[in-house]
Amino acid sequence: MYQHGLLQLINYINIIIYMSKLLNCLKQKKSSGFPIWFMRQAGRHLPEFRNIRKKNKDFIKLCLNSNLSSKITLQPINRYNLDAAIIFSDILLVPYVLGQNVTFKKGKGPSLSKFNLKDFLSKNNKEFTTDLKPVYDAIKKTRQKLNKKKSLISFVGAPWTLLVYMIAAKNKKNKLNYKILKKFKNEIDLILERLIKFLCIHIEHQKRAGSDVIQIFDSWAGLIPSKYLERFCYEPNLKLVNFCKRKKIPVICFPKGIKNKYKGFVNTVKPDGISIDYDINPSWAKKNLNNVCIQGGLNPKLLVGTEKKMMKEINKYLRVFKYKPYIFNLGHGLLPETDPKRLERVIHEVNTFK
Ligand code: CP3
């Protein structure tokens, strides 16, 4: 009996000393306050990032420079009081090492060289992890420098979102190009399966290198017609989430743009955390997304608008989720024009909320 009590006490102390606020929240344990981090916190809104970027014109090469990538990851941590760092990398590194060239034209977003199924299928596991080794090295370096109480988040793109970029399945107006999808009709399932295999490998290596949470970005899930949502969104995410569960890696999903289908997603995929976008009403989310830790939601545009409106909206999320395990974040990535002073304001508001 006495020994049991002692073990419990040790466990409790362990949680207090070593457990990050974010991990605790993902386990759906409500503690005081909300953990906070921002999607795209490591990036263009920071002058210190833009300085490095100016000297490193090739974005993919920058992601694969472990010293610089670790340094960029820690930039927002050094500036702000955040609960998590997210490794500076990109979801498009996976298609890149699988044989497609990736370029970023200003204002146009990423563009990939023509997809070739034979090349895509020719890569073996060893080559894949060797090419991505700089990412794992960056994670190791970052973990060594990061306070134990702060989480280190790694991420992957969901198979559908990667496919959209790989076969250029959306047009400039962000609408699906059905002609292209039809052209790949007989190959899509094979491509998705193969991607799932590589994404599991990438997840496991990022975990082994020292990251403690995985986020799966399905940024283009909102483009999928309802009748295909199970096949192209729920199922691939479920396979990745089940892999994370087998490996005991806490996982957050972000199926952006699927509106009220968020409910079916959570009930089917059952991730530890669900990141909501700015189209989701927080009260609806609280009522309909059960047995999951909710993250995010605030429209990133509010951080470049009037301070009054921003504060009102922040407090709406804080009030709705007051008694819930909730991770404060945005409904999509920070806009590059966001003033760092605004982030400080948001963080202060969240951390002093009573
Ligand atoms: O701080 C962080 O969140 C970590 C770094 C991170 C980046 N990309 C760095 C980056 C993360 C998590 C991503 C994920 C990512 N990349 C997604 C999923 C999230 C989302 O935004 O929906 C997607 C779709 C991509 C693909 C991608 N990479 C896009 C659409 C862009 C922007 C293109 C543009 O010019 O606007 C990138 C480039 C990119 N990835 C930048 C950063 C900091 C900007 C690069 C620059 O300096 O020009």
Side-chain angles (χ1 to χ4, degrees), residues 40-42 44 53 59 89-91 104 165 217 219 332:
R40 290 278 165 99
Q41 64 190 27
R44 286 174 291 188
R53 182 74 170 99
F59 180 73
S89 173
D90 201 274
I91 63 165
F104 294 87
Y165 285 111
F217 286 98
S219 307
H332 200 194

Side-chain angles (χ1 to χ4, degrees), residues 100-290:
Q100 282 180 282
N101 207 25
V102 181
T103 49
F104 294 87
K105 293 191 191 85
K106 245 200 164 132
K108 277 201 171 160
S111 138
L112 276 63
S113 61
K114 203 168 170 2
F115 176 77
N116 178 303
L117 187 66
K118 225 174 114 202
D119 290 350
F120 173 72
L121 295 175
S122 71
K123 197 86 174 177
N124 68 41
N125 299 1
K126 183 89 190 74
E127 289 165 332
F128 178 80
T129 50
T130 303
D131 289 354
L132 286 173
K133 189 170 175 289
V135 177
Y136 313 135
D137 290 342
I139 293 171
K140 261 183 224 153
K141 287 177 189 163
T142 309
R143 188 64 274 182
Q144 281 165 6
K145 293 186 186 148
L146 193 66
N147 181 319
K148 278 202 178 67
K149 302 270 292 184
K150 297 193 193 253
S151 283
L152 179 54
I153 302 169
S154 286
F155 61 89
V156 293
W160 163 260
T161 288
L162 293 181
L163 178 87
V164 167
Y165 285 111
M166 286 164 62
I167 64 171
K170 66 172 177 65
N171 61 25
K172 287 187 192 86
K173 289 181 180 156
N174 290 335
K175 291 271 184 308
L176 270 191
N177 182 333
Y178 284 93
K179 236 164 94 183
I180 289 188
L181 281 174
K182 246 194 185 145
K183 196 176 124 197
F184 284 95
K185 201 174 77 190
N186 297 322
E187 297 169 8
I188 287 180
D189 289 310
L190 174 64
I191 299 171
L192 292 177
E193 273 314 308
R194 192 81 179 182
L195 278 174
I196 290 167
K197 183 192 99 170
F198 280 118
L199 292 171
C200 287
I201 295 171
H202 193 32
I203 288 171
E204 188 166 13
H205 277 74
Q206 294 190 91
K207 155 78 181 173
R208 272 198 224 147
S211 67
D212 33 39
V213 178
I214 291 286
Q215 177 146 326
I216 303 170
F217 286 98
D218 213 347
S219 307
W220 296 110
L223 295 181
I224 306 172
S226 293
K227 67 171 180 175
Y228 292 116
L229 207 60
E230 288 260 350
R231 180 169 156 206
F232 295 142
C233 175
Y234 292 8
E235 276 181 30
N237 274 282
L238 178 63
K239 286 181 181 161
L240 296 181
V241 165
N242 282 344
F243 178 80
C244 289
K245 284 182 181 169
R246 281 202 299 281
K247 300 287 171 186
K248 301 204 173 355
I249 314 169
V251 55
I252 304 168
C253 286
F254 186 27
K256 184 174 177 288
I258 63 169
K259 303 203 159 71
N260 62 356
K261 300 293 195 308
Y262 257 98
K263 185 174 176 175
F265 184 96
V266 166
N267 289 337
T268 308
V269 179
K270 301 184 174 65
D272 301 285
I274 185 81
S275 216
I276 54 174
D277 62 58
Y278 42 78
D279 281 339
I280 301 294
N281 178 315
S283 304
W284 180 89
K286 182 170 135 179
K287 187 160 163 249
N288 289 285
L289 308 180
N290 304 124

Side-chain angles (χ1 to χ4, degrees), residues 27-94:
K27 291 195 167 174
Q28 295 182 52
K29 289 182 186 141
K30 180 73 191 144
S31 57
S32 66
F34 302 104
I36 179 169
W37 69 282
F38 296 87
M39 288 189 256
R40 290 278 165 99
Q41 64 190 27
R44 286 174 291 188
H45 89 286
L46 288 177
E48 55 270 37
F49 169 75
R50 294 197 297 268
N51 245 336
I52 294 180
R53 182 74 170 99
K54 250 194 332 228
K55 298 176 214 136
N56 294 271
K57 299 274 185 244
D58 185 332
F59 180 73
I60 294 287
K61 264 202 191 141
L62 178 59
C63 289
L64 292 173
N65 177 331
S66 62
N67 283 329
L68 284 179
S69 150
S70 172
K71 193 171 167 182
I72 295 169
T73 302
L74 292 166
Q75 283 177 342
I77 302 299
N78 296 336
R79 227 184 219 264
Y80 310 114
N81 183 12
L82 296 163
D83 294 294
I86 179 161
I87 195 72
F88 179 78
S89 173
D90 201 274
I91 63 165
L92 298 175
L93 286 184
V94 167

